[in-house]
Amino acid sequence: RDRDVTGVQTCALPISNSRGVTSKSKHRVLVVDDERSIRDVVDDALSQAGFDVHTAIDGADGLAAVRDWSPECILLDIMMPKIDGLAVIELA
């Protein structure tokens, strides 16, 4: 988490070029979205850029992934069933 923008934490991971991340180990990114097509597109793009990507289908699944997988960055939808994105930010 790098900076606070109106109460929402953001993160930035360095990308060296189109071949991937700058360090030897892959950065872990969690993508949380209830729309499969969005998860798939973001997962594919980040994986091709060299990130280690995990996806979650809703806020509850996202919180479990944060606990079990410890991502370095979370790309999070705000409007989701069960637990919305804002609650995930507060609970993560």
Side-chain angles (χ1 to χ4, degrees):
R1 295 180 177 155
D2 292 325
R3 57 194 164 113
D4 186 353
V5 179
T6 63
V8 176
Q9 295 291 322
T10 62
C11 61
L13 298 174
I15 299 177
S16 61
N17 55 37
S18 62
R19 289 187 294 273
V21 296
T22 58
S23 69
K24 291 181 183 178
S25 64
K26 292 183 175 184
H27 290 288
R28 293 179 315 279
V29 179
L30 173 63
V31 177
V32 185
D33 199 302
D34 58 321
E35 293 188 41
R36 182 183 183 135
S37 60
I38 293 173
R39 286 193 317 270
D40 290 347
V41 167
V42 176
D43 183 355
D44 288 345
L46 291 173
S47 294
Q48 288 179 15
F51 292 95
D52 185 9
V53 182
H54 185 83
T55 61
I57 61 172
D58 57 39
D61 192 31
L63 283 173
V66 168
R67 181 185 62 245
D68 298 339
W69 194 60
S70 300
E72 295 172 81
C73 183
I74 303 171
L75 298 177
L76 180 65
D77 186 10
I78 297 299
M79 296 177 63
M80 292 184 293
K82 297 183 183 177
I83 301 174
D84 68 27
L86 296 175
V88 171
I89 291 170
E90 291 177 15
L91 297 170

